[in-house]
Every structure is written in C-alpha cells, then in structure tokens.
Amino acid sequence: QQQLVESGGGSVQAGGSLKLSCTISGNINRVTYMAFFRQAPGKEREGVASIYIPAPTTYYADSVKGRFTISQDNAKNTVYLQMNSLKPTDTAMYYCAAARLWVGGPLNKDEYDYWGQGTRVTVSS
C-alpha cells in the first residue's frame, strides 16, 4: 500500500504562483503514473496534470496548459506541480494520485489506486 503526502497549498492572488509537492512512501518506480487532480465545491474531481514515471511523459488538462508544469524527482520519490499565472477558477482542493498499472486515460481519476489527503489552493481576484 503506497501512501502519498502532499504539501504546498495556500492562498495567493490572481497571477501568482504556487508549487505543490507529492511524496510517495515507497519507491516511485513501483508506480506507473502520478497525477494531480482537483475538486472545487459542488464539482466533480478533474484531472489537472499527469506524468508517466518510467519515461517522463506529461499530460495536461486544456485549462492549465502553458501555466502548470508537472515534474518528478526520483531520488526524492516526489512529483511536483508548478502552478503559474493562477486564476480564481483554479481554486480547489488538489489531490495527488498514483497508479500501479498502465492507464488508458492519464487524467481519468477512476484509473488511480492511491490518493493523498489533499491540499487547498485558494486564488483571490
């Protein structure tokens, strides 16, 4: 059972930046994908960014392309989500997730096996 611990959430003004971290308890090479999802009040949880761990390939939701960057540090068993040019519409609880096996949809929440506790991001206008 893998455990994921997120950090880095907070409150910023529109146009600002935040960097989220997600550390996995075991060896990062034992999962195939890691991703960040977000859920705003009253909305479905949606995929934001995902990375294929063995051969870093990244995937992004259209709403964050060009603003968010997902990356990994295998030595630290950690993935990062750098969020720039933040908008009020980015306000949500952000969750880290990991998948044990190959996934057909890297931003599909139903394909992920392990989840972090979430970290809140609030962007004010």
Side-chain angles (χ1 to χ4, degrees):
Q1 181 78 10
Q2 303 280 9
Q3 291 186 323
L4 305 176
V5 179
E6 301 132 333
S7 61
S11 298
V12 295
Q13 290 191 322
S17 298
L18 284 173
K19 187 174 185 177
L20 305 183
S21 300
C22 174
T23 300
I24 191 166
S25 59
N27 190 316
I28 197 172
N29 292 302
R30 297 184 69 178
V31 297
T32 54
Y33 290 83
M34 291 186 70
F36 286 91
F37 291 78
R38 66 186 181 188
Q39 188 166 17
K43 294 191 174 182
E44 295 255 339
R45 189 170 298 190
E46 62 173 354
V48 175
S50 175
I51 188 165
Y52 180 55
I53 299 297
T57 303
T58 56
Y59 307 86
Y60 296 95
D62 287 343
S63 58
V64 306
K65 280 180 182 175
R67 300 189 297 123
F68 291 11
T69 302
I70 190 170
S71 61
Q72 65 188 78
D73 184 336
N74 288 8
K76 295 182 179 180
N77 294 319
T78 299
V79 295
Y80 303 97
L81 185 67
Q82 177 67 47
M83 304 185 294
N84 298 329
S85 302
L86 282 161
K87 305 175 181 179
T89 50
D90 294 317
T91 296
M93 186 72 81
Y94 282 70
Y95 297 91
C96 178
R100 292 180 292 119
L101 302 173
W102 176 271
V103 301
L107 297 180
N108 180 355
K109 64 182 185 302
D110 296 329
E111 302 209 52
Y112 285 80
D113 304 292
Y114 310 111
W115 292 85
Q117 79 286 357
T119 186
R120 187 171 300 279
V121 172
T122 302
V123 184
S124 57
S125 56

